[in-house]
Amino acid sequence: MSPMKNLHSPTFSPLYRQIRALITRSLEAGEWGPGDVIPSESELAARYGVSQGTVRKAIDEMAAENLLVRRQGKGTFVATHNDPRSLFRFLRLSANEGALPPIKSVPLECWRAKAGAEVAKTLGIEVGAPTIIIRRLLQFGEEPVVFDELYLSGELFPDLTLDILKANEMSLYSLFETRYGVRMIRADERLRAVSADRVSAEFLKVAEGSPLLLVERVAFTYGDKPVEWRRGLYSTRNFHYHNVLG
Amino acid sequence: MSPMKNLHSPTFSPLYRQIRALITRSLEAGEWGPGDVIPSESELAARYGVSQGTVRKAIDEMAAENLLVRRQGKGTFVATHNDPRSLFRFLRLSANEGALPPIKSVPLECWRAKAGAEVAKTLGIEVGAPTIIIRRLLQFGEEPVVFDELYLSGELFPDLTLDILKANEMSLYSLFETRYGVRMIRADERLRAVSADRVSAEFLKVAEGSPLLLVERVAFTYGDKPVEWRRGLYSTRNFHYHNVLG
DNA sequence: CAGTGGTCTAGACCACCTC
DNA sequence: AGGTGGTCTAGACCACTGA
């Protein structure tokens, strides 16, 4: 790689960001899958014709954003949702008291439909394009806590059915990643307080009209491409959504 | 500074973390106040007897945690809450549609009391120690959106009164920092959905029993010392709490 | 122009893991 | 022993700021 000293160029980006873009492209292309080791820093430095320090800085950034995971003495790995530590990066729930009981995901429904205006806009697809809709209940111990409704672009998850969801104990994002090669790397959430309607109240075993936490999420894969829209109703009697402001 | 190559020591920490600790100590001691420039990287390197690269790595970490702010060509500055960009790091509210109207903070009450068991535990002070309690309303445009109740350790804010709160247009954290030298660097929040009681409903101009977002916050200053406990009720009809999962 | 942070390099050595 | 990432150094040059 030439240094590309594009002086005074408006599109200037330092060498380590160009390296980062190359590594990201290999991730998108699937050259290294989730959980795999990527080549060592010195190998990458040789491949791209830069110093090890420059590769290192590129990887530093990607590790800080949870795209890669460094393990001293072993190598650098592609991040994966199969890692239990990564689960709570995308499920910000804690128990009001004591430890969190074991989590169980209960798929309820899964069907296909054509994208309406709102879904199409959110997922960046055409109105009328195929989508998948999933309804699902999250239980902590035996207590139902989250009632989720998900919208996915249908093309990315060709054969997804309720049976497949039921057959997989792993988290949804693990399934998406393992079976469909779609890795979620970031999500935006919007939180509001709402009143439980009849259906939600029934699933969550609370009184109709009870206050519930509404969590709307748009999840993105590589290249900030939106691939999931999710609306979750959280029962926050015994659990809460936690967040760190830094 | 000697390299401190404490091999095989359980308390080993790399040189740049030791430098970081020294810089942090100077921040705590007030050697450089919020908004000030700190010495240049080469100056600090000379002062501590390490290379510039090592100082740089220490500052990198602190900048990533919003303790310091780098400005190319100008220097490195102590972060401050007077910066409008920093306001929304601690107030995660957005409008459901359109831009956010101007924010107005309306102090309602401010009195002193002895710490109860819960407050004492949260703030890490003795039961019966002096505390300050503040009630305040946050308006977006003319619409009341957040009804806050704050508990502060009394010793840190000696002369704080309702009049002082009313006389300062700036954010609370700016005031705490400017007037009392207490800088909030991190906060943990817990979110739940609750029903509006009579008092809150009145302040927020919603019907009694309406769903509200309850946000409990513990804010920390240097050394992870808790100094504020806050309970806020958010009316989320036209606004929402936003969060990024990465 | 001088001073700041930002980038890039090359080389040495340490800490950890595996064989 | 040999590989990996982690730390530390020294030096060169670039980009931005303000006098």
Side-chain angles (χ1 to χ4, degrees), chain B residues 147 195-209 212:
Chain B
F147 176 45
S195 293
D197 60 21
R198 212 173 54 76
V199 176
S200 320
E202 206 160 297
F203 278 122
L204 293 171
K205 290 180 182 157
V206 298
E208 193 172 339
L212 294 177

Side-chain angles (χ1 to χ4, degrees), chain B:
Chain B
M1 155 154 309
S2 73
M4 288 203 198
K5 301 196 182 183
N6 38 6
L7 272 66
H8 306 129
S9 159
T11 61
F12 167 80
S13 81
L15 195 45
Y16 73 86
R17 277 194 198 284
Q18 301 174 38
I19 302 301
R20 185 198 154 131
L22 292 174
I23 296 174
T24 301
R25 199 194 296 169
S26 290
L27 288 176
E28 291 183 60
E31 182 175 343
W32 315 303
D36 290 354
V37 202
I38 72 171
S40 72
E41 292 178 356
S42 47
E43 272 181 82
L44 289 173
R47 175 201 292 205
Y48 299 130
V50 300
S51 79
Q52 190 194 342
T54 300
V55 169
R56 185 166 185 76
K57 187 150 186 178
I59 293 178
D60 275 346
E61 273 200 353
M62 299 180 72
E65 295 174 25
N66 297 303
L67 298 171
L68 298 175
V69 177
R70 297 169 164 298
R71 285 185 225 161
Q72 185 172 148
K74 301 175 79 170
T76 301
F77 298 75
V78 182
T80 168
H81 287 286
N82 294 309
D83 183 348
R85 290 167 300 180
S86 107
L87 173 59
F88 289 99
R89 291 207 349 257
F90 286 88
L91 179 63
R92 300 276 186 118
L93 276 172
S94 294
N96 291 349
E97 305 178 351
L100 207 58
I103 302 179
K104 192 167 67 174
S105 170
V106 182
L108 303 171
E109 303 177 75
C110 176
W111 73 95
R112 280 153 196 280
K114 293 184 175 176
E118 197 176 10
V119 174
K121 190 183 170 192
T122 305
L123 296 183
I125 57 181
E126 301 289 319
V127 173
T131 62
I132 299 172
I133 305 170
I134 298 171
R135 282 196 171 144
R136 141 337 278 219
L137 199 59
L138 226 53
Q139 295 185 342
F140 285 16
E142 285 311 305
E143 184 179 345
V145 179
V146 181
F147 176 45
D148 268 331
E149 189 166 74
L150 290 75
Y151 300 81
L152 304 167
S153 13
E155 295 189 356
L156 293 176
F157 306 90
D159 68 350
L160 186 57
T161 61
L162 187 59
D163 286 336
I164 291 176
L165 291 172
K166 282 182 174 168
N168 284 278
E169 284 296 319
M170 55 180 115
S171 77
L172 283 178
Y173 286 179
S174 291
L175 177 67
F176 295 168
E177 166 181 301
T178 316
R179 188 174 178 106
Y180 303 99
V182 177
R183 201 187 119 69
M184 308 296 186
I185 58 173
R186 188 173 66 81
D188 289 349
E189 292 196 326
R190 299 177 161 212
L191 285 73
R192 291 185 196 79
V194 298
S195 293
D197 60 21
R198 212 173 54 76
V199 176
S200 320
E202 206 160 297
F203 278 122
L204 293 171
K205 290 180 182 157
V206 298
E208 193 172 339
S210 301
L212 294 177
L213 185 60
L214 169 62
V215 180
E216 283 190 293
R217 171 192 298 184
V218 181
F220 302 84
T221 187
Y222 295 112
D224 283 322
K225 186 187 172 193
V227 286
E228 179 204 57
W229 187 33
R230 182 190 290 215
R231 302 174 81 248
L233 287 166
Y234 292 41
S235 166
T236 55
R237 205 176 23 186
N238 299 317
F239 302 91
H240 60 267
Y241 184 106
H242 66 84
N243 195 22
V244 177
L245 313 181

Side-chain angles (χ1 to χ4, degrees), chain A residues 108-128:
Chain A
L108 302 171
E109 304 176 74
C110 177
W111 73 93
R112 280 154 196 280
K114 292 185 177 177
E118 197 176 11
V119 174
K121 189 183 172 193
T122 306
L123 296 182
I125 58 180
E126 300 290 318
V127 174

Side-chain angles (χ1 to χ4, degrees), chain A residues 1-7 9-26 28 32 44 47-50 54-59 61-62:
Chain A
M1 156 154 309
S2 72
M4 287 202 199
K5 302 193 184 185
N6 37 8
L7 271 67
S9 159
T11 61
F12 167 79
S13 81
L15 195 45
Y16 72 87
R17 278 197 197 280
Q18 301 174 39
I19 302 300
R20 184 200 155 132
L22 291 174
I23 296 174
T24 301
R25 198 194 297 170
S26 290
E28 291 183 60
W32 316 302
L44 289 173
R47 178 203 288 207
Y48 299 130
V50 300
T54 299
V55 170
R56 184 164 186 78
K57 186 148 188 178
I59 293 179
E61 273 200 353
M62 299 180 73

